[in-house]
Amino acid sequence: MDKIVIEGGHPLQGEIAISGAKNAALPLICATLLSPGPHVLENVPDLRDTRTMLALLESLGATWSRDGDTLTIDTSGLNNFEASYDLVKTMRASVLVLGPLLARMNRARVSLPGGCAIGARPINFHLQGFQQLGVRHQLDQGYVDASVDGRMEGATICFDIPSVTATENILMGAVLAKGETVIKNAAREPEIGNLVDMLNGMGAKIKGRGSDTLLIKGVTSLKPARIRVVPDRIETGTFLIAVGAIGGELTLSNCDPALLPSLYAKLGAAGVTVREEKDRLHVARREPLRAVDIKTMPFPGFPTDLQAQMMALMCFSNGLSLITETIFENRFMHVAELHRMGADIRIDGHSAIVTGTGGLRGAPVMATDLRASASLVIAGLAAEGITEISRVYHLDRGYDDLVGKLSRVGAAIHRQPA
Ligand code: EPU
């Protein structure tokens, strides 16, 4: 299996163009199932997860082609409603085909995704929501077998807590339902706004974009879409935090500065300067790193997908930092790996107490999930000596050419084939 090898201590200097967001591209790809015909998606990152999603669509009868970062997906030949275990087990987001398949084919058989490294991650909100829209489902051989007689029926759905993919799934089902659907306590992540724009562009009638209440007036048919995937705010944040750890000066282009409000405040308090300019961000650290506390929250709060990276950063401060994870129950797996690099971190329930020691030392470490892998890359960039990260397939799921992008701005990083 490939490894990433990093020699720490080289500040980052130059410009990186940010790719389209994984967590926006995945639901947009699924939304193409809602209407036959060729759909065009621009700024689509080339990731293991986007390829898995395309393989899933192919298994349902769709065809696609890629030209640079533009994807054309034709779902006219849809002829299957089963998302198989083999595809779903490698990527939980596969569950996002449930809503579109129910809307277009009135039937969906989707393998239950099961637990994953960062937590149990049930899909009960998705299933309860569809039930309210008139869908029957049963569990059969590890598959959710769901069906509805004709169109779904609009209803008012209120989530216990905001869920990103449940909001997206119900949204994609409700756009073709009879009557009105209201989603209350909806997640407000920017990737959902991207999906709303795509669906409205296809002829859907959704109001409340960006708010916690979405109002959907069902329509009888939709037309093919043309949409651009929003910039990846988590990739953007990962590079901003990397500069905080190792120093230097980076410009990030093709990004949307409005998507990371909570991160700039924390980075500013930690001594990292971020300057916003239209679709660019300039980041530098010219003062000693200060410890800050973090608590993950749904958008616009601090994203759980940047918690691990921020923890790596805090290891390089000289103070005490309290990092609280409120979204997923098992998202501290990077802690054991950071310990191998000399970090002083104690876990107490949902919180981690980081005692910054001013630095880390390179070591062989293992990636455990996507964002944990990114935190190890950041730790390795700023640590003394060599860090070797194994199981890098996790990184390939969600970062488009991370190693290439970092090495072009001065990092001593390369991929070592197995
Ligand atoms: N939850 C339930 N029941 C459900 C759905 C969610 O209890 O039916 C709980 C979850 O267990 C969690 C909370 O609700 O405690 C919020 O989870 P959410 O459903 O919002 O997460 P998700 O939709 O499965 C998306 C991203 C994740 C990101 C989270 C939180 C995609 C494809 N995935 O997951 O991205 O961490 O939102 O922002 O959009 C990543 O990119 O590395 C990643 C894990």
Side-chain angles (χ1 to χ4, degrees):
M1 240 180 272
D2 288 10
K3 280 182 184 167
I4 289 177
V5 182
I6 309 170
E7 182 189 79
H10 299 267
L12 306 178
Q13 210 78 44
E15 182 168 325
I16 295 178
I18 297 300
S19 299
K22 167 180 84 82
N23 289 346
L26 296 174
L28 300 196
I29 292 173
C30 293
T32 65
L33 294 168
L34 286 166
S35 154
H39 304 261
V40 180
L41 274 53
E42 295 165 0
N43 201 31
V44 181
D46 188 13
L47 306 167
R48 205 154 68 98
D49 274 9
T50 47
R51 281 182 236 142
T52 304
M53 193 58 97
L54 290 167
L56 173 53
L57 257 70
E58 248 175 23
S59 76
L60 302 174
T63 56
W64 61 274
S65 62
R66 185 186 256 279
D67 179 11
D69 63 9
T70 300
L71 266 184
T72 304
I73 305 177
D74 193 341
T75 55
S76 312
L78 196 65
N79 56 14
N80 180 21
F81 50 75
E82 180 169 308
S84 76
Y85 175 66
D86 284 344
L87 287 162
V88 178
K89 74 174 181 207
T90 63
M91 189 183 63
R92 292 183 49 84
S94 313
V95 76
L96 284 168
V97 298
L98 195 53
L101 285 176
L102 282 166
R104 176 118 171 248
M105 302 185 91
N106 306 132
R107 179 92 193 267
R109 247 177 87 82
V110 178
S111 172
L112 262 187
C116 79
I118 61 175
R121 300 181 75 184
I123 58 161
N124 55 322
F125 300 162
H126 304 236
L127 296 178
Q128 280 156 17
F130 284 121
Q131 201 164 359
Q132 282 183 265
L133 298 182
V135 173
R136 295 176 302 274
H137 74 264
Q138 54 173 357
L139 195 62
D140 171 36
Q141 301 267 305
Y143 280 73
V144 174
D145 198 330
S147 59
V148 59
D149 300 327
R151 292 167 70 196
M152 285 177 257
E153 298 265 0
T156 296
I157 292 163
C158 182
F159 292 125
D160 289 354
I161 47 174
S163 158
V164 176
T165 47
T167 302
E168 293 165 344
N169 228 345
I170 297 298
L171 199 51
M172 289 188 281
V175 285
L176 286 173
K178 270 187 247 164
E180 268 187 23
T181 299
V182 184
I183 307 178
K184 293 188 171 171
N185 205 18
R188 289 184 288 159
E189 269 64 5
E191 293 75 23
I192 297 170
N194 205 181
L195 177 62
V196 169
D197 290 344
M198 170 167 170
L199 295 171
N200 280 342
M202 293 168 78
K205 292 194 168 17
I206 306 166
K207 283 191 180 153
R209 183 190 189 284
S211 80
D212 64 0
T213 304
L214 295 170
L215 181 70
I216 305 123
K217 263 196 187 141
V219 295
T220 49
S221 66
L222 295 169
K223 57 179 196 273
R226 180 168 200 113
I227 183 84
R228 188 172 174 80
V229 176
V230 292
D232 196 317
R233 65 196 164 98
I234 305 302
E235 185 195 23
T236 307
T238 300
F239 289 127
L240 295 179
I241 295 171
V243 172
I246 178 61
E249 207 162 335
L250 269 190
T251 296
L252 304 179
S253 57
N254 188 28
C255 55
D256 183 348
L259 304 186
L260 280 167
S262 52
L263 178 66
Y264 308 140
K266 288 295 172 187
L267 286 179
V272 184
T273 318
V274 182
R275 191 162 55 79
E276 302 175 35
E277 185 197 311
K278 237 176 115 201
D279 64 347
R280 294 159 87 81
L281 284 167
H282 304 277
V283 57
R285 177 163 67 79
R286 298 188 187 91
E287 37 185 314
L289 203 56
R290 291 185 288 272
V292 291
D293 294 341
I294 304 290
K295 189 174 191 176
T296 63
M297 296 293 265
F299 189 83
F302 193 91
T304 172
D305 291 344
L306 286 174
Q307 176 260 109
Q309 297 89 317
M310 204 63 187
M311 190 183 299
L313 177 66
M314 288 298 103
C315 294
F316 294 92
S317 82
N318 276 301
L320 211 60
S321 165
L322 180 68
I323 298 189
T324 306
E325 172 59 56
T326 72
I327 311 288
F328 294 116
E329 68 273 19
N330 192 25
R331 215 172 195 183
F332 282 145
M333 278 167 311
H334 40 286
V335 171
E337 302 305 307
L338 290 170
H339 279 160
R340 298 176 55 74
M341 301 178 73
D344 181 348
I345 306 169
R346 191 162 54 82
I347 297 179
D348 184 7
H350 292 296
S351 294
I353 301 135
V354 183
T355 307
T357 51
L360 294 176
R361 289 179 305 280
V365 289
M366 195 173 77
T368 49
D369 68 74
L370 171 57
R371 308 305 173 186
S373 320
S375 82
L376 298 177
V377 171
I378 291 171
L381 289 174
E384 217 180 285
I386 305 286
T387 298
E388 274 190 17
I389 307 176
S390 55
R391 299 208 182 161
V392 296
Y393 54 85
H394 288 294
L395 270 180
D396 299 337
R397 289 191 51 191
Y399 287 91
D400 194 341
D401 191 25
L402 183 69
V403 169
K405 284 177 177 169
L406 283 170
S407 62
R408 286 191 287 277
V409 294
I413 180 169
H414 68 274
R415 196 170 174 123
Q416 191 173 289

